[in-house]
Amino acid sequence: MTMVPRKMQSRAIRHIFSASDDTVMTKQISATHAPIEEHVDVRPLLNVVQDIFHRATSLIPDILQGKQTQMSASKENANQSDLSDILEISYHTINKIACEISCKCMMGGGDAHATTIGILGMLSSFSWDAKVGIALAAFASNLGEFWLVAQLNATNRLAKSVALLKHIHETLEQVDDLGPKFETVNNLLNAMFVVANCIVEFHELPSQYIDHEAPEMLTASTLIPSAVYWTIRSIVACASHILGIIGLGQGYMTSTIETWELSSLTHKLDNMNDHLQKQLTICHQHLDDNKQREAFQTLEILFETSHQDNINVLKALIRCKDDPLPLFDGSTKQRVSIDVLRSKIVLLYITDLQHISEQELVIFGQMYQDSRQDSTRLESQYELVWIPIVEKGTLWTESKQRFERLQSMMPWYSVYDPSVLEAATIRYIKEVWLFNTKHMLVVLDPQGKVVNLNAIHVMWIWGSLAYPFSSLKEEALWKEETWGLALLADTIDESLFEWVSAGKYICLYGGDDIEWIRKFTSSAKSMAKTLQIPLEIMYVGKSNPGEKIRKINKTINEEKLSNVLAYPTINWFFWVRLESMWHSKLQQGNTVENDQIMLEIVRILSFDSSDQGWAVISQGTVKMTQGKGDSFLKCVVEFEEWKDNAKDKGVLAAMDDYIQGIQTPHHCNRLILPGVDGRTPEQIICAECRQPMEKFYMYRCCNE
């Protein structure tokens, strides 16, 4: 290729771009714009142009090398009725402009600026996006015809004859020289289409969400006429270049300068596209903000309105970029639509991905499967949906693996792709339902009304017996409860029921001091043997069962100190369930002062928060006595002191009297409560002295 002197390049660039910012040219462009046609959708036409550009450019290498080419089956990329609308209006104009481009270029190129202004004049009645779309369509029809004949030249006699008349056969023989020339053309084609697509996108912005007087829209409206001009100017240059390549121009031959001119036009269009894209990005951000604001308001209205069923509420809440199958069925491993939840009680299990544990899912899964054992049972008539909250800006690729592992453990429904959950949904869940990082179980009745803002505690306490999981059902269940072993321990170990049925005394104890555990279990067994009472002892650990508790469990088993819970998950569940009792009572408006069960719950939780061990002893499911480590140990060691009292009042009452008698007024109780939903009360009453406890803030990291 011949090098071009620097002075010639300088003159060329002045010739091409000297008027780009000239007021005269701007006025000329504006003078051609007199839209009278009703605005039509240009997208179907642009899709056809894109298809022609893509297929033509992909054919070039093979055609130039003489290889047989086989086009892949075409997929419809535009609705035919939509395409016919724009073609009905622009068909004759497309043909006129195609002829205009061919004629002007075959005459030796002429004045490119004058040709461009002339084409703009022919498009005066159309909007700016229609102008650029129609002009590209006119050029694409010529380009597509050229490469269609080139493709069929070797196999179709008609195509071969047409190729002879158009000198296409001579073009295809210049293999060594054509590659770089068409590469330059292809780069410009891509730049033209990208700019045109951006212009069309501006016109596609929904007016109800966009302020046309906003700075970004005013800037775009200033840039777009010039962008349309330079796109059409590039079409003219590109057409001239292609006609020059195939030798149809009268004495016209492509040169290094012309090739460089196309590269310069490509660069200019790329710069224009950068400016337009910046404004378009700002518009899309405002558009998304306005849409999300509207979606949030829609959710507020829907949840405040009565409905015949829950489907509109759920579709608005679980909206993932209009995905028709936004849910994943954990039992069938298939994607499903929201309709599977129609007119059912729906429990929305809301979590993040960081704080949800596999042991939680094990217990939850067992409860769910138990409720499904008999589909005729009333307790099974609900559906569970996991909605994991993924913060916007989170790298989904990093979280996806954990999400998929957790999802695989769930037999219930879940959001298929939480990364595309609408921002309005996340905002509503956080601002209205007050989700932070603590898990929630929001209950919707068959009409989509929220009947319990957080039934997670109800589920942990009673499982599916809490059906239909409403606040009214929660209140009714508490009215039936009394404090005792049945409420405290429930189903943590099947042996408990056997021991209760056998009339045995049952001792539950906790703490992480192995020496205290050895002394206590040994003394308790000695006491039971002397008093001739059947006693079973069960270790329930602590509320943060880490590696230390696992080691203690192992030691207790090896030394046969007492029974232990079968699995660490059951240990975790015992304490989560107890904490849930506290939260449930708190949601019901109860306090230590006015509720005996809440008082006893706080007592056990304060035992666990201390550095000491603790124990409770029960006979049956109601009678119970309890105490902190030192006091309870002293009680069982010194049983000779109270055994006579036990003959009159019973063992548990005598132990209770003794523990009360040895306690001093001075004490230092601690209570560690995990906050939830911002509802942790400002004041907690000590379960021992009934005085307000002093509040401190504690930050804990347990990675045993």
Side-chain angles (χ1 to χ4, degrees):
M1 181 177 287
T2 305
M3 295 298 294
V4 181
R6 187 176 298 275
K7 288 184 178 180
M8 290 182 65
Q9 290 184 3
S10 178
R11 286 196 297 272
I13 192 169
R14 283 199 302 271
H15 174 71
I16 297 171
F17 299 124
S18 60
S20 61
D21 296 318
D22 188 48
T23 305
V24 175
M25 191 188 77
T26 303
K27 288 181 178 179
Q28 283 183 307
I29 296 171
S30 299
T32 65
H33 188 56
I36 57 174
E37 299 284 357
E38 183 178 334
H39 185 265
V40 292
D41 182 11
V42 185
R43 177 61 62 185
L45 188 63
L46 202 62
N47 287 340
V48 174
V49 170
Q50 182 183 27
D51 187 60
I52 293 172
F53 282 4
H54 170 71
R55 294 179 183 278
T57 55
S58 64
L59 287 172
I60 292 174
D62 288 341
I63 292 176
L64 293 181
Q65 294 176 31
K67 295 180 181 179
Q68 292 293 323
T69 57
Q70 184 66 39
M71 295 293 286
S72 59
S74 177
K75 291 184 179 179
E76 293 296 334
N77 60 359
N79 185 293
Q80 291 298 318
S81 62
D82 292 339
L83 182 59
S84 64
D85 289 341
I86 180 68
L87 287 178
E88 185 177 342
I89 296 172
S90 62
Y91 171 74
H92 293 293
T93 306
I94 290 174
N95 286 332
K96 284 172 61 179
I97 293 174
C99 292
E100 179 73 8
I101 293 172
S102 297
C103 291
K104 293 290 185 183
C105 294
M106 288 175 67
M107 296 299 293
D111 185 344
H113 171 68
T115 301
T116 303
I117 292 296
I119 292 172
L120 283 172
M122 297 168 68
L123 294 166
S124 62
S125 63
F126 294 95
S127 60
W128 290 111
D129 62 323
K131 291 180 200 291
V132 75
I134 292 170
L136 277 176
F139 172 69
S141 66
N142 288 342
L143 181 72
E145 180 183 344
F146 171 80
W147 284 113
L148 184 61
V149 172
Q151 178 198 10
L152 300 175
N153 172 61
T155 58
N156 185 287
R157 183 63 190 172
L158 176 60
K160 187 174 184 66
S161 298
V162 173
L164 286 169
L165 293 176
K166 290 181 174 287
H167 288 201
I168 294 176
H169 69 293
E170 294 180 3
T171 302
L172 300 180
E173 292 171 358
Q174 304 172 34
V175 176
D176 294 336
D177 190 46
L178 292 181
K181 297 180 186 297
F182 278 114
E183 182 180 354
T184 305
V185 170
N186 291 346
N187 291 338
L188 184 54
L189 288 180
N190 182 67
M192 289 189 298
F193 180 81
V194 169
V195 170
N197 186 65
C198 188
I199 293 169
V200 172
E201 281 192 48
F202 269 106
H203 284 79
E204 288 175 335
L205 293 171
S207 58
Q208 68 268 34
Y209 299 114
I210 295 296
D211 179 6
H212 290 277
E213 298 301 315
E216 58 276 5
M217 287 300 292
L218 293 175
T219 301
S221 64
T222 302
L223 294 172
I224 285 174
S226 180
V228 171
Y229 169 86
W230 283 106
T231 301
I232 298 176
R233 176 93 173 246
S234 297
I235 290 172
V236 173
C238 204
S240 296
H241 190 73
I242 293 173
L243 288 172
I245 290 174
I246 63 176
L248 285 181
Q250 295 181 355
Y252 184 87
M253 294 296 293
T254 61
S255 66
T256 304
I257 292 179
E258 186 179 36
T259 301
W260 180 85
E261 175 190 351
L262 297 190
S263 298
S264 299
L265 285 167
T266 300
H267 180 68
K268 183 171 186 65
L269 289 178
D270 286 342
N271 285 336
M272 285 188 158
N273 181 61
D274 288 342
H275 289 299
L276 286 171
Q277 285 292 345
K278 287 178 182 178
Q279 305 309 314
L280 188 60
T281 298
I282 297 172
C283 288
H284 278 305
Q285 183 59 56
H286 291 325
L287 171 65
D288 187 61
D289 290 344
N290 290 333
K291 280 187 173 182
Q292 294 303 325
R293 189 178 300 110
E294 182 182 74
F296 180 84
Q297 293 169 351
T298 299
L299 284 172
E300 286 185 312
I301 294 170
L302 285 171
F303 277 108
E304 292 171 359
T305 308
S306 298
H307 306 278
Q308 289 186 340
D309 60 31
N310 57 6
I311 207 68
N312 288 335
V313 169
L314 289 171
K315 282 185 175 180
L317 185 71
I318 308 175
R319 189 163 171 243
C320 303
K321 291 188 175 179
D322 298 319
D323 187 346
L325 302 174
L327 297 180
F328 180 77
D329 187 340
S331 61
T332 64
K333 308 304 180 185
Q334 298 292 320
R335 296 181 64 179
V336 294
S337 72
I338 294 290
D339 287 316
V340 297
L341 306 175
R342 186 184 294 272
S343 299
K344 294 182 179 180
I345 292 175
V346 177
L347 279 57
L348 303 175
Y349 182 35
I350 304 171
T351 76
D352 60 12
L353 290 177
Q354 289 72 44
H355 297 88
I356 185 172
S357 66
E358 293 185 8
Q359 57 189 3
E360 175 177 336
L361 293 182
V362 168
I363 298 293
F364 219 161
Q366 186 61 51
M367 289 180 172
Y368 180 82
Q369 296 288 26
D370 288 347
S371 71
R372 291 298 193 267
Q373 293 299 318
D374 183 357
S375 60
T376 63
R377 289 175 54 198
L378 187 63
E379 292 84 355
S380 69
Q381 306 304 307
Y382 70 91
E383 297 296 346
L384 190 61
V385 181
W386 180 39
I387 304 180
I389 301 300
V390 178
E391 296 294 341
K392 298 304 178 186
T394 301
L395 288 176
W396 178 235
T397 51
E398 296 179 1
S399 304
K400 187 176 182 181
Q401 188 175 2
R402 174 167 173 77
F403 163 73
E404 289 176 344
R405 186 176 72 255
L406 294 171
Q407 188 184 53
S408 68
M409 299 174 63
M410 300 178 181
W412 49 79
Y413 296 109
S414 59
V415 174
Y416 176 71
D417 185 358
S419 68
V420 295
L421 196 65
E422 293 285 355
T425 295
I426 296 175
R427 179 188 168 195
Y428 188 88
I429 288 172
K430 287 184 173 183
E431 293 184 11
V432 179
W433 291 348
L434 303 180
F435 171 80
N436 43 47
T437 59
K438 292 293 180 179
H439 309 162
M440 299 180 68
L441 197 64
V442 179
V443 183
L444 307 182
D445 69 10
Q447 288 73 46
K449 179 182 178 182
V450 176
V451 292
N452 195 334
L453 192 55
N454 194 1
I456 191 77
H457 311 303
V458 179
M459 183 65 83
W460 289 142
I461 300 167
W462 292 289
S464 60
L465 293 177
Y467 179 90
F469 311 103
S470 64
S471 297
L472 291 175
K473 180 65 175 182
E474 182 178 6
E475 185 178 354
L477 287 169
W478 275 123
K479 288 179 180 179
E480 298 172 4
E481 292 288 356
T482 55
W483 179 251
L485 187 68
L487 178 60
L488 175 62
D490 190 51
T491 58
I492 63 169
D493 195 290
E494 293 181 358
S495 300
L496 290 175
F497 294 103
E498 298 174 6
W499 297 340
V500 169
S501 299
K504 293 184 177 182
Y505 286 81
I506 301 170
C507 174
L508 304 181
Y509 73 101
D512 57 6
D513 183 345
I514 190 61
E515 291 304 318
W516 180 90
I517 290 171
R518 287 188 176 109
K519 291 176 184 177
F520 172 73
T521 53
S522 175
S523 300
K525 291 175 183 177
S526 178
M527 175 199 73
K529 183 176 181 180
T530 302
L531 295 178
Q532 297 183 336
I533 59 174
L535 177 65
E536 296 289 350
I537 309 174
M538 175 74 74
Y539 177 64
V540 294
K542 286 183 72 70
S543 59
N544 55 330
E547 186 59 32
K548 186 174 183 180
I549 300 302
R550 293 189 187 93
K551 290 180 179 179
I552 291 174
N553 269 329
K554 183 179 179 182
T555 300
I556 292 172
N557 264 328
E558 290 174 348
E559 298 180 15
K560 295 182 171 52
L561 301 179
S562 73
N563 299 286
V564 297
L565 295 173
Y567 305 102
T569 301
I570 304 299
N571 192 131
W572 171 87
F573 178 57
F574 173 84
W575 291 103
V576 165
R577 188 172 172 276
L578 194 63
E579 290 171 356
S580 292
M581 293 181 201
W582 182 82
H583 285 298
S584 177
K585 281 288 186 180
L586 187 66
Q587 285 182 176
Q588 294 284 317
N590 300 110
T591 65
V592 169
E593 298 97 317
N594 63 23
D595 190 282
Q596 181 64 31
I597 293 178
M598 194 167 189
L599 173 66
E600 300 299 341
I601 293 168
V602 170
R603 195 192 306 277
I604 301 295
L605 291 174
S606 65
F607 290 164
D608 178 64
S609 301
S610 72
D611 295 325
Q612 302 182 40
W614 60 273
V616 299
I617 290 185
S618 173
Q619 184 183 34
T621 58
V622 179
K623 297 178 182 179
M624 184 182 294
T625 188
Q626 63 274 317
K628 288 187 291 187
D630 291 343
S631 299
F632 214 97
L633 178 59
K634 185 178 179 65
C635 176
V636 297
V637 168
E638 300 178 353
F639 66 88
E640 293 287 348
E641 299 290 327
W642 51 264
K643 68 178 183 179
D644 290 337
N645 189 30
K647 295 177 183 178
D648 298 327
K649 302 181 68 173
V651 173
L652 295 183
M655 291 181 72
D656 201 41
D657 287 346
Y658 189 79
I659 291 171
Q660 294 295 325
I662 62 176
Q663 285 182 341
T664 61
H666 174 74
H667 62 272
C668 185
N669 289 342
R670 288 184 299 178
L671 178 63
I672 300 175
L673 293 170
V676 62
D677 303 339
R679 292 189 176 89
T680 302
E682 286 297 315
Q683 181 174 281
I684 296 289
I685 301 300
C686 175
E688 191 167 333
C689 67
R690 310 297 176 90
Q691 295 298 313
M693 302 180 78
E694 189 175 1
K695 182 169 71 174
F696 294 88
Y697 292 97
M698 185 185 77
Y699 300 91
R700 183 173 70 180
C701 177
C702 293
N703 60 348
E704 295 183 64

